[in-house]
């Protein structure tokens, strides 16, 4: 049986090195050369031994071609040596499609909606039948689990060793550096044996069993040596400070866990499909690979030098190691041991970035990521997924769910800092852009309000465009002006603050009176309200009627506002006549309404009493059909002329607004 397996392995190696392909090609080329030489011998009268010489050359060259095909490979990068069977064992090679192809084959899900966070489904809830992991998924999940279980203690060995080397003096580094070297070699061996693309065309139970045997056989000696190095380091550093000894003990503990894994769990018979699905970690890995939906920090008073980071990992060693590495790089760190705790911290605190472990009991990393994307408060927080599982399906799944990056344990400190800094810089730049855009929108809205308060609505587009002067003349413009008199007396008696509050309430009340009427309002110096009919044909009477209706509303509101204020008088006047509206641009914009209509209306308002609306004869002629009036005598204008005045009383019954 072993002979047949050896022959099968040798044949597989011939195919991998393309030796059989080269042999076929060489045979075709040799046959063509023999045929050509035979034809040339007759046509060119060559010696009779020519074709025999060509056959001899072909026979001699065949073994040389086979040796070269075995030893070298022709690639886009040029000629290179083909890896040996020890470097690339048959059991670990597969015709795995590239990452991009796998990503294209994965089912695409719509991006999560931005809505309030909802509770994730219970971990025990069964997935839909059409998304159940396949046997191939479960085998690949076991492969990922083996890699995860072996890398986790190696991550602790390498990480704590690097931290110790930063603190120890050069003369005492030797025992720790020996541990670091041994840990790195073990990690390389794990990566070589359990590569993500390991396996044949189909990852079978026999292939998995072969990998487990290799782990047991090839890591037995290295893990035993790692334990001896830990004991030697403990003896050599026994007089060091407590923190150093604690880190050495952590390294020894991690090395012990690695040794236990190699000797016990990985030392077993071939694992079938049912057994490969056993265990929480393997179930989690299977879910990620199948693409199923899943529902000690630094000093307290130290300011965050580079950002506030949340580390989420169910392994206490990983949390401690990563938090210390981040603290040394200047980050402020918070820790969470599970997904629910992480979500609670995210609701209470602001974080610049989250380092989120993929495989966790309960609510796993993808479940946390999904809930963060659904919550408006956390959807903008960048998330970097961390795991010892580096299957491309898991990476793609995390990126699809909204993660910005994916880091594989153990972390290289320099690479970790570079990836974190790049992510934080990018998201801080985006935050600055969002703030700048928000400020621009707020300033634009404020400028729009300011423009509308300075000029009528029909002039605001020209004001925004900066098109210069604009003059409009009206032969018959209806104008109502409200003049507030006695403000200085009120301020002297009650104070400036009381006056400002009264003015604010009055202005808001007056503007509310005009909300449903076709009129335009403008305040002049805060003491006079000017309202005009909207631009229309002079014969269009409803414009003047709207001014009359507004005057009645202003009269009622003015009486109410001045009821408890003796010093202030609210005068209202209406006139219909010619006027000129102009927008002038120099260093600033200036808008004004001039002419007979505003001047007469202002004079009528100045001579009126609170509760009275003075109307000119021209305004009476335009409004008497819709309103009731009474005669108020004759007043003398500032120009020395006399003018009869009417008092606006109310709408006529037939025209009364309900």
């Amino acid at each position: 049986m072993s002979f047949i397996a050896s022959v099968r392995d040798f044949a597989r190696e011939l195919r991998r090195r393309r030796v059989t392909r080269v042999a076929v090609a060489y045979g075709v080329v040799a046959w063509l050369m023999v045929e050509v030489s035979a034809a040339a011998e007759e046509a060119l009268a060559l010696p009779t031994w020519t074709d025999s010489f060509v056959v001899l050359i072909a026979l001699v060259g065949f073994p040389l071609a086979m040796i070269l095909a075995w030893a070298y490979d022709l690639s886009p990068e040029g000629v290179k040596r083909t890896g040996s069977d020890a470097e690339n064992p048959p059991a670990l090679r597969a015709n795995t499609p590239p990452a991009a192809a796998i990503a294209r084959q994965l089912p695409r899900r719509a991006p999560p909606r931005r809505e309030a966070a909802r509770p994730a489904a219970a971990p025990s809830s069964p997935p839909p039948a059409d998304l159940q992991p396949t046997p191939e998924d479960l085998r690949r999940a076991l492969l990922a689990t083996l890699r995860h279980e072996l890398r986790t203690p190696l991550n602790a060995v390498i990480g704590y060793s690097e931290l110790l080397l930063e603190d120890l003096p050069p003369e005492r580094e030797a025992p720790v550096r020996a541990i670091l070297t041994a840990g790195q070699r073990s990690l390389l061996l794990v990566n070589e044996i359990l590569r993500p693309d390991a396996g044949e065309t189909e990852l079978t139970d026999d292939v998995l069993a072969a990998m487990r045997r290799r782990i047991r056989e090839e890591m037995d000696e290295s893990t035993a040596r790692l334990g001896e190095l830990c004991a030697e380091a403990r003896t050599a550093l026994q007089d060091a400070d407590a923190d150093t000894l604690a880190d050495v003990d952590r390294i020894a503990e991690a090395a012990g866990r690695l040794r236990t894994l190699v000797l016990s769990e990985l030392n077993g018979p071939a694992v079938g499909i049912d057994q490969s699905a056993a265990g929480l970690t393997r179930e989690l890995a299977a879910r990620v690979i199948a693409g199923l939906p899943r529902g000690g920090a630094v000093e307290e008073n130290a300011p965050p030098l580079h950002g506030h980071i949340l580390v989420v990992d169910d392994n206490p060693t990983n949390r401690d190691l990563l938090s210390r590495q981040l603290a040394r790089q200047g980050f402020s760190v918070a820790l969470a041991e599970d997904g629910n705790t992480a979500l609670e911290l995210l609701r209470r605190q602001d974080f610049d970035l989250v380092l989120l472990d993929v495989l966790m009991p309960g609510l796993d990393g993808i479940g946390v990521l999904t809930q963060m994307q659904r919550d408006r408060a956390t959807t903008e927080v960048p998330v970097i997924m961390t795991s010892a599982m580096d299957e491309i399906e898991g990476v793609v799944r995390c990126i699809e769910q909204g993660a910005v990056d994916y880091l594989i344990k153990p972390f290289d400190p320099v690479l970790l800092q570079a990836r974190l800094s790049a992510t934080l810089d990018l998201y801080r730049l985006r935050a600055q852009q969002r703030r700048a855009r928000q400020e621009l929108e707020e300033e634009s809205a404020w400028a729009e309000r300011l423009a509308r308060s300075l000029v009528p609505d029909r002039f605001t587009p020209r004001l925004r465009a900066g098109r210069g002067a604009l003059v409009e003349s009206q032969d018959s413009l209806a104008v109502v002006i409200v003049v507030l008199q006695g403000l200085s007396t009120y301020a002297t008696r009650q104070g400036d603050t009381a006056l400002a509050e009264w003015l604010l309430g009055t202005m808001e009340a007056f503007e509310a009176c005009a909300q449903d009427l076709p009129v335009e309002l403008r305040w002049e110096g805060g003491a006079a309200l000017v309202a005009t009919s909207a631009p229309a044909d002079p014969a269009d009477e409803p414009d003047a009627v709207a001014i009359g209706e507004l005057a009645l509303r202003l009269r009622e509101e003015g009486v109410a506002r001045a009821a408890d204020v003796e010093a202030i008088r609210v005068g209202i006047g209406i006139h219909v006549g010619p006027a000129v509206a102009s927008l002038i641009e120099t260093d600033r914009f200036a808008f004004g309404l001039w002419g007979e209509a505003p001047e007469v209306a202002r004079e009528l308002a100045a001579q009126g009493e609170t509760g009275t609306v003075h109307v000119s004869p021209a305004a009476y002629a335009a409004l008497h059909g819709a309103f009731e009036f009474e005669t108020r005598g004759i007043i003398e204008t500032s120009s020395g002329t006399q003018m009869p005045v009417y008092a606006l009383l109310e709408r006529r019954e037939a025209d009364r607004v309900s």
Side-chain angles (χ1 to χ4, degrees):
M1 190 68 178
S2 60
F3 174 75
I4 296 176
S6 299
V7 172
R8 185 171 60 247
D9 290 343
F10 180 71
R12 186 187 302 113
E13 189 68 9
L14 289 176
R15 289 195 302 272
R16 186 184 71 83
R17 295 173 182 262
R18 299 181 178 88
V19 175
T20 54
R21 192 178 306 175
V22 173
V24 172
Y26 188 91
V28 172
V29 172
W31 176 78
L32 290 175
M33 290 177 60
V34 171
E35 291 296 322
V36 170
S37 65
E41 177 184 346
E42 182 177 354
L44 301 177
L46 296 176
T48 56
W49 49 265
T50 300
D51 55 346
S52 301
F53 178 76
V54 172
V55 172
L56 178 62
I57 293 298
L59 292 176
V60 173
F62 180 77
L64 180 60
M66 296 303 98
I67 293 174
L68 293 175
W70 179 274
Y72 295 94
D73 191 13
L74 186 62
S75 67
E77 294 79 13
V79 178
K80 63 179 182 180
R81 289 187 59 85
T82 306
S84 64
D85 187 66
E87 296 171 348
N88 297 286
L92 298 182
R93 287 184 295 271
N95 298 320
T96 306
I102 296 179
R104 288 194 296 268
Q105 295 170 5
L106 291 176
R108 298 296 176 193
R109 296 171 175 79
R113 294 179 297 173
R114 301 295 193 264
E115 56 187 25
R118 294 178 293 182
S124 59
S125 58
D130 59 341
L131 290 179
Q132 289 283 358
T134 65
E136 177 68 13
D137 288 333
L138 294 176
R139 294 189 185 97
R140 289 156 64 204
L142 177 58
L143 180 61
T145 301
L146 297 180
R147 192 181 308 108
H148 180 274
E149 291 175 348
L150 290 169
R151 281 179 174 175
T152 298
L154 284 172
N155 177 39
V157 170
I158 295 173
Y160 282 118
S161 298
E162 291 173 339
L163 291 176
L164 280 176
L165 289 175
E166 293 180 10
D167 297 333
L168 289 173
E171 64 273 9
R172 308 201 69 179
E173 289 181 355
V176 178
R177 191 168 297 281
I179 294 176
L180 177 60
T181 301
Q184 291 171 338
R185 289 175 178 172
S186 297
L187 179 61
L188 290 175
L189 187 58
V190 170
N191 293 340
E192 189 273 323
I193 297 175
L194 303 177
R195 295 193 316 277
D197 60 347
E200 301 176 325
T201 303
E202 180 181 0
L203 188 62
T204 64
D205 292 341
D206 291 338
V207 173
L208 291 174
M211 294 179 187
R212 294 164 68 93
R213 284 195 299 271
R214 284 198 63 191
I215 289 292
R216 172 66 177 88
E217 295 169 357
E218 299 182 26
M219 295 193 65
D220 184 12
E221 182 178 350
S222 62
T223 53
R225 178 57 182 160
L226 185 60
E228 295 174 359
L229 292 174
C230 291
E232 295 174 2
R234 188 63 169 81
T235 302
L237 300 174
Q238 59 183 349
D239 57 341
D241 58 84
D243 291 339
T244 299
L245 293 178
D247 285 346
V248 173
D249 291 339
R250 292 187 181 98
I251 295 174
E253 180 185 358
R257 292 199 306 271
L258 177 65
R259 179 68 174 165
T260 301
L261 286 171
V262 171
L263 294 179
S264 59
E265 181 182 352
L266 300 180
N267 183 21
V271 180
I273 295 176
D274 294 337
Q275 291 172 316
S276 69
L280 178 60
T281 303
R282 294 168 186 170
E283 291 180 2
L284 292 172
R287 289 190 181 100
V288 173
I289 289 177
L292 299 180
R294 287 274 301 155
V298 293
E299 299 177 22
E300 295 182 0
N301 298 326
L305 299 179
H306 296 80
H308 192 35
I309 298 180
L310 175 62
V311 175
V312 187
D313 199 308
D314 62 309
N315 188 300
T317 299
N318 289 345
R319 290 197 305 272
D320 175 70
L321 180 59
L322 189 53
S323 66
R324 290 174 58 179
Q325 289 175 334
L326 294 174
R328 292 190 179 212
Q329 295 173 359
F331 296 103
S332 172
V333 186
L335 304 176
E337 66 276 7
D338 55 54
N340 291 321
T341 303
L343 292 175
E344 184 63 28
L345 286 174
L346 285 166
R347 296 185 188 104
R348 297 201 314 261
Q349 301 181 33
D350 292 330
F351 292 97
D352 297 301
L353 186 141
V354 177
L355 284 172
L356 180 59
D357 187 29
V358 176
L359 303 181
M360 295 186 296
L363 185 64
D364 62 21
I366 291 182
V368 174
L369 184 61
T370 301
Q371 292 205 28
M372 288 181 63
Q373 293 299 312
R374 292 175 177 172
D375 191 340
R376 295 180 184 273
T378 58
T379 185
E380 296 294 337
V381 180
V383 178
I384 296 180
M385 307 301 289
T386 65
S387 179
M389 184 182 69
D390 51 0
E391 275 68 21
I392 186 62
E393 294 91 339
V395 177
V396 172
R397 172 70 171 137
C398 294
I399 300 301
E400 284 181 340
Q401 289 299 111
V404 301
D405 207 341
Y406 191 104
L407 292 177
I408 300 171
K409 302 174 184 176
F411 308 118
D412 178 85
V414 177
L415 177 61
L416 175 64
Q417 183 177 21
R419 301 282 275 275
L420 293 181
S421 298
T423 301
L424 288 173
D425 289 344
L426 175 61
Y427 273 78
R428 283 170 180 163
L429 178 60
R430 291 182 180 177
Q432 291 175 0
Q433 292 175 338
R434 287 193 299 271
R435 287 194 297 269
R437 186 166 54 251
Q438 182 179 359
E439 292 174 358
L440 182 61
E441 292 173 353
E442 292 174 353
E443 291 179 359
S444 177
W446 178 84
E448 182 72 16
R449 290 176 56 199
L450 180 61
R452 294 182 61 188
S453 68
L454 294 176
V455 300
D457 290 345
R458 67 183 184 277
F459 287 143
T460 52
R462 181 175 292 271
L463 183 65
R464 287 195 298 267
R467 295 178 183 172
L470 174 67
V471 178
E472 284 186 357
S473 61
Q474 295 286 326
D475 295 333
S476 181
L477 182 66
V479 179
V480 58
I481 293 182
V482 181
V483 176
L484 304 177
Q485 298 180 342
L487 297 178
S488 59
T489 303
Y490 181 78
T492 302
R493 295 176 182 178
Q494 303 296 329
D496 295 339
T497 302
L499 174 62
E501 293 177 354
W502 186 88
L503 276 176
L504 176 61
T506 301
M507 294 171 70
E508 291 177 345
F510 283 1
E511 290 176 4
C513 294
Q515 285 185 351
D516 59 341
L517 296 174
V519 297
E520 295 175 340
L521 299 182
R522 184 172 58 87
W523 286 91
E524 293 183 349
L529 173 66
V530 180
T532 62
S533 57
D537 189 278
D540 195 358
E541 188 175 343
D543 288 338
V545 172
I547 289 296
E549 177 64 30
L550 175 61
L552 291 178
R553 297 181 185 181
L554 292 172
R555 182 188 66 183
E556 296 178 4
E557 196 63 46
V559 170
R561 297 295 302 176
D564 300 326
V565 184
E566 295 183 8
I568 295 179
R569 182 167 57 87
V570 181
I572 305 174
I574 303 177
H575 182 59
V576 177
V580 175
S582 65
L583 176 65
I584 300 174
E585 179 186 5
T586 56
D587 290 339
R588 67 181 71 183
F589 286 97
F591 175 80
L593 182 66
W594 295 278
E596 177 188 312
E599 291 175 2
V600 173
R602 184 176 289 103
E603 192 158 1
L604 290 171
Q607 298 190 36
E609 299 292 334
T610 301
T612 301
V613 178
H614 282 180
V615 180
S616 68
Y620 171 78
L623 298 173
H624 76 278
F627 295 89
E628 298 285 348
F629 293 89
E630 69 177 13
T631 303
R632 284 299 177 92
I634 298 175
I635 65 171
E636 186 174 351
T637 65
S638 59
S639 62
T641 61
Q642 292 185 338
M643 182 176 59
V645 177
Y646 301 87
L648 180 65
L649 299 180
E650 59 185 2
R651 292 289 294 264
R652 292 187 183 276
E653 192 66 31
D655 299 322
R656 191 179 300 278
V657 178
S658 58

